[in-house]
């Protein structure tokens, strides 16, 4: 009897242990994976992409029409002009944060560089546009003019010591660098000795095959170390801030996160819309330069709620948000941008470029719901501290782009980051602020001589906005593709499998989304 009782007790303990172990596994799975989603239908990516954006009075539908009909054709034509085609960038910088242990060896990762002489107008001062002479340069021996040629000039009577020690020149240069750092949101490469010109038309942004741990580390570092967070994220596999937690952040931190998320979303859409398809082509049918086109499955993997813990539609909304932010920067700096020469040495094209700039800015001024940056960073010293943190976080993000292991990805990452950084500089540096004019229309009068942008900043600003505009236009193409799939295969879900029966569906009580099964979301590269 005692033996039977012992065996019975042992079995009970085993059952309890197994139940306890299963409970732990389930709890850990819940913590690390949040929810596992299944889409209800083929348009699930776009069902929530309507209505108000939040943090502004604009709606998604208003931006869709305004961009696709009015802005997209204008900005795409504009950035094809010579002035905006050539971008000066240093792709040789080493990663300042970790060892660069992963370089993309695929031919699609490489870029085609161009010589200085091939850049239109370079010989006539194209590269010297907006050079700010540093105080240290002004006092060098080479910079001084000779006064002895004047017959009435007595050097003994009017001698002025124009020399300055090397140590003082170094310190003055540091002052200039400090002053620039107070208003710039990212590093500028154009004066770097290793900077080279790149023809953007010969190096289009598209999927290159760069992925894996190296690409994931870039975005993990951006989100986990350089974005403001309302709390520590307990989900190791999901570095993003949940949309439900954004309400716990102040407006300034929320704007920062949504801008970075929108930039990431835009880059992902570019990769999905210009995906390398030739790998799927059999035999010798694939062209030598590769076959590129939209990849609907990849788009769904990156944005469908079933793959992103329900966050995909919110990331798409952040694209519209950063589009609105950059468009506001263009409007605010509009009077300055309208007065630029856009010199390339070709008088006819330069005039066409200036006319195209004025035309597009005129359209932008008419947009009814511009982003209102005046509601941010108000509150004395605390707001000033937050503004400095805002700038420092974005400066770090611009430096992280030097850690990208694919040259073509690095080129477009640096360009779009500099474009967004230039927009933030226009909105928050104070140089373009004025109590006069109409802030809704952006027609602010030129007041400061310091209202000046480097040529690379202007090129990056317009090209970055063009990339956002292109992303919103590509969303319409993916929406059409999804609708066509739904009509042609009404009994299949968006991943090609058979549609789930109602008995297998569960509803998430927080969102009302259908849930059941699914796979972990994968970090976009």
């Amino acid at each position: 009897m005692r033996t039977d009782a012992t065996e019975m007790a042992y079995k009970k303990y085993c059952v309890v242990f197994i139940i306890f172990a299963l409970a732990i596994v389930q709890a850990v799975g819940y913590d690390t994976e949040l929810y596992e989603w299944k889409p209800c239908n083929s348009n699930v990516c776009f069902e929530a992409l309507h209505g108000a954006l939040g943090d502004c009075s604009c709606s998604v539908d208003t931006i869709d029409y305004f961009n696709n009909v009015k802005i997209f054709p204008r900005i795409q034509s504009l950035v094809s002009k010579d002035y905006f085609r050539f971008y000066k960038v240093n792709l040789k910088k080493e990663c300042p944060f970790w060892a660069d242990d992963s370089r993309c060896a695929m031919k699609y990762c490489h870029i085609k560089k161009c010589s200085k002489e091939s850049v239109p107008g370079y010989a006539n001062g194209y590269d010297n546009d907006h050079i700010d002479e540093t105080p240290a340069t002004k006092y060098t021996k080479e910079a001084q003019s000779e006064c002895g040629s004047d017959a009435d000039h007595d050097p003994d009577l009017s001698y002025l010591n124009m020399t300055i020690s090397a140590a003082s020149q170094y310190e003055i240069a540091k002052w200039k660098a400090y002053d620039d750092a107070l208003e710039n949101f990212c590093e500028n490469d154009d004066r770097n000795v290793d900077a080279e010109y790149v023809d953007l038309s010969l190096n289009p942004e598209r999927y290159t095959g760069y992925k894996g741990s190296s690409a994931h580390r870039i975005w993990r570092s951006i989100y986990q170390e350089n974005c403001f967070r309302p709390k520590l994220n307990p989900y190791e596999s999901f570095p993003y801030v949940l949309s439900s937690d954004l309400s716990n952040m102040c407006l300034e931190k929320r704007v920062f996160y949504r801008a970075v998320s929108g930039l990431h979303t835009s880059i992902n859409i570019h990769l999905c819309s210009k995906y390398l398809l030739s790998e799927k082509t059999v035999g010798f049918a694939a062209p030598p330069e590769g076959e590129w086109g939209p990849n609907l499955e990849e788009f769904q993997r990156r944005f469908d709620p079933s793959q992103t813990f329900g966050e995909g539609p919110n990331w798409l909304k952040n694209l519209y948000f950063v589009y609105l932010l950059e468009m506001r920067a263009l409007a605010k700096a509009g009077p300055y941008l309208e007065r630029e020469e856009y010199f390339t040495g070709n008088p006819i094209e330069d005039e066409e470029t200036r006319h195209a700039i004025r035309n597009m800015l005129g359209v932008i001024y008419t947009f009814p719901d511009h982003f209102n940056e005046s509601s941010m960073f108000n509150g004395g010293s605390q707001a000033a501290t937050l503004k400095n943190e805002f700038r420092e976080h974005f400066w770090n993000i611009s430096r992280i782009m030097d850690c990208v292991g694919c040259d073509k990805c690095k080129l477009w990452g640096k360009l779009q980051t500099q474009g967004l950084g230039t927009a933030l500089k226009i909105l928050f540096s104070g140089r373009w602020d004025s109590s006069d004019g109409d802030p809704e229309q952006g027609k602010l009068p030129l007041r400061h001589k310091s209202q000046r942008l480097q040529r690379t900043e202007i090129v990056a600003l317009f090209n970055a906005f063009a990339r956002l505009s292109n992303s919103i236009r590509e969303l319409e193409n993916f929406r059409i593709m999804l609708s066509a799939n739904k009509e042609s295969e009404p009994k299949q879900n968006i991943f090609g499998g058979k549609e789930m029966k109602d008995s297998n569906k569960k509803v998430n009580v927080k969102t009302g989304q259908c849930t059941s099964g699914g796979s972990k979301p994968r970090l976009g590269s």
Side-chain angles (χ1 to χ4, degrees):
M1 291 291 293
R2 183 174 297 175
T3 302
D4 293 340
T6 301
E7 290 180 355
M8 183 65 70
Y10 178 78
K11 291 180 179 180
K12 288 182 178 179
Y13 287 139
C14 288
V15 171
V16 171
F17 177 80
I18 292 173
I19 294 175
F20 182 72
L22 289 174
I24 291 177
V25 171
Q26 184 177 7
V28 171
Y30 179 84
D31 282 343
T32 57
E33 298 185 14
L34 300 180
Y35 304 97
E36 293 190 348
W37 301 72
K38 277 290 186 183
C40 297
N41 59 63
S42 63
N43 272 327
V44 70
C45 289
F46 295 101
E47 284 184 346
L49 200 58
H50 295 286
L53 279 178
D55 297 318
C56 57
S57 59
C58 193
S59 70
V60 170
D61 307 276
T62 301
I63 298 176
D64 263 331
Y65 173 80
F66 189 80
N67 175 74
N68 296 346
V69 175
K70 297 184 177 182
I71 295 297
F72 176 76
R74 287 177 168 87
I75 188 66
Q76 297 304 316
S77 174
L78 181 62
V79 294
S80 68
K81 300 291 186 183
D82 283 347
Y83 185 89
F84 295 102
R85 277 201 303 126
F86 296 93
Y87 179 62
K88 195 174 184 181
V89 61
N90 180 10
L91 299 176
K92 298 177 182 178
K93 279 187 177 180
E94 294 185 359
C95 175
F97 301 109
W98 57 76
D100 189 5
D101 53 1
S102 178
R103 300 293 299 175
C104 178
M106 294 182 64
K107 64 179 181 178
Y108 304 114
C109 289
H110 302 156
I111 65 169
K112 300 176 182 178
K113 301 174 183 177
C114 56
S115 64
K116 294 179 180 179
E117 291 73 23
S118 66
V119 178
Y122 175 80
N124 295 322
Y126 178 79
D127 190 49
N128 296 323
D129 188 29
H130 288 168
I131 291 181
D132 290 324
E133 188 178 19
T134 63
T137 303
K138 292 180 181 179
Y139 294 106
T140 60
K141 181 179 180 180
E142 292 76 10
Q144 310 311 315
S145 60
E146 294 292 336
C147 298
S149 58
D150 187 352
D152 295 329
H153 176 72
D154 188 339
D156 293 331
L157 295 177
S158 61
Y159 172 74
L160 180 63
N161 190 335
M162 302 289 289
T163 62
I164 187 169
S165 68
S168 296
Q169 292 182 34
Y170 176 75
E171 290 301 320
I172 293 173
K174 286 171 60 178
W175 301 346
K176 176 66 166 57
Y178 177 80
D179 291 341
D180 289 342
L182 291 179
E183 64 183 41
N184 288 337
F185 282 75
C186 55
E187 292 186 318
N188 294 333
D189 290 346
D190 57 336
R191 303 303 168 194
N192 192 286
V193 66
D194 290 324
E196 298 177 276
Y197 279 103
V198 176
D199 187 339
L200 299 176
S201 66
L202 300 179
N203 299 277
E205 184 183 19
R206 55 194 182 188
Y207 181 78
T208 63
Y210 176 63
K211 57 184 178 180
S213 59
S214 176
H216 293 175
R217 181 166 53 180
I218 298 295
W219 290 107
R220 285 187 185 279
S221 178
I222 288 174
Y223 283 110
Q224 292 181 332
E225 301 174 19
N226 293 283
C227 278
F228 298 98
R229 309 184 72 85
K231 60 183 179 181
L232 293 177
N233 192 339
Y235 313 110
E236 184 177 352
S237 64
F238 198 72
Y240 314 104
V241 174
L242 301 177
S243 57
S244 57
D245 290 336
L246 286 176
S247 59
N248 298 323
M249 301 168 68
C250 67
L251 173 63
E252 291 81 359
K253 294 180 179 181
R254 194 162 61 244
V255 165
F256 185 96
Y257 179 83
R258 296 191 69 186
V260 172
S261 174
L263 173 62
H264 188 192
T265 296
S266 181
I267 292 174
N268 278 337
I269 292 175
H270 304 156
L271 305 185
C272 295
S273 62
K274 295 293 184 293
Y275 200 86
L276 179 59
L277 304 176
S278 57
E279 292 178 336
K280 300 181 179 180
T281 305
V282 180
F284 299 96
E289 291 298 319
E291 181 183 358
W292 309 85
N295 187 325
L296 184 59
E297 181 180 351
E298 184 68 16
F299 175 81
Q300 292 167 330
R301 183 183 73 79
R302 293 175 186 262
F303 295 107
D304 192 277
S306 67
Q307 306 296 297
T308 60
F309 298 139
E311 291 294 321
N314 296 316
W315 295 342
L316 293 176
K317 278 194 172 184
N318 291 341
L319 163 65
Y320 288 81
F321 181 81
V322 72
Y323 175 90
L324 205 63
L325 187 149
E326 290 195 15
M327 183 166 64
R328 169 57 185 155
L330 288 169
K332 189 171 185 178
Y336 167 81
L337 295 170
E338 289 183 73
R339 289 171 170 81
E340 274 293 292
E341 290 297 320
Y342 302 101
F343 173 79
T344 66
N346 184 336
I348 296 177
E349 172 146 330
D350 292 351
E351 179 57 34
E352 289 178 352
T353 301
R354 289 190 289 270
H355 176 75
I357 290 285
R358 290 191 293 267
N359 180 273
M360 194 187 75
L361 289 174
V363 173
I364 287 177
Y365 294 151
T366 66
F367 188 73
D369 296 305
H370 278 284
F371 177 80
N372 182 15
E373 75 284 357
S374 64
S375 60
M376 296 175 60
F377 301 114
N378 298 318
S381 60
Q382 186 176 1
T385 300
L386 178 60
K387 187 175 182 179
N388 189 52
E389 292 178 4
F390 191 101
R391 183 193 58 78
E392 288 178 347
H393 276 300
F394 197 84
W395 186 283
N396 273 346
I397 291 176
S398 73
R399 298 180 71 201
I400 289 175
M401 289 300 159
D402 288 317
C403 301
V404 176
C406 162
D407 282 346
K408 188 168 290 184
C409 305
K410 180 188 291 188
L411 165 66
W412 286 100
K414 288 172 73 73
L415 182 144
Q416 291 171 87
T417 302
Q418 186 179 19
L420 178 54
T422 302
L424 296 176
K425 173 182 176 178
I426 292 170
L427 293 177
F428 302 121
S429 70
R431 287 191 174 189
W432 281 266
D433 293 345
S434 174
S435 57
D436 304 322
D438 182 4
E440 291 295 324
Q441 299 301 317
K443 296 181 180 179
L444 304 177
L446 292 179
R447 185 180 56 169
H448 302 297
K449 185 179 179 181
S450 59
Q451 285 182 332
R452 173 166 289 184
L453 296 173
Q454 299 293 333
R455 180 192 165 273
T456 52
E457 290 179 308
I458 297 175
V459 172
L461 178 65
F462 278 92
N463 272 285
F465 184 64
R467 293 279 76 203
L468 297 177
S469 175
N470 181 76
S471 293
I472 292 176
R473 183 65 184 85
E474 289 293 347
L475 278 183
E476 182 63 24
N477 294 335
F478 281 118
R479 184 185 283 111
I480 294 172
M481 293 172 66
L482 283 168
S483 298
N485 272 14
K486 184 178 180 181
E487 292 177 2
S488 61
E489 300 179 14
K491 294 185 179 181
Q492 291 187 343
N493 64 36
I494 63 174
F495 298 105
K498 295 297 182 181
E499 196 164 299
M500 296 179 299
K501 295 181 180 179
D502 291 341
S503 59
N504 292 331
K505 292 182 181 178
K506 297 180 181 179
V507 176
N508 182 290
V509 294
K510 293 177 65 178
T511 65
Q513 292 281 354
C514 295
T515 67
S516 176
S519 59
K520 292 183 181 180
R522 299 169 63 185
L523 189 68
S525 58

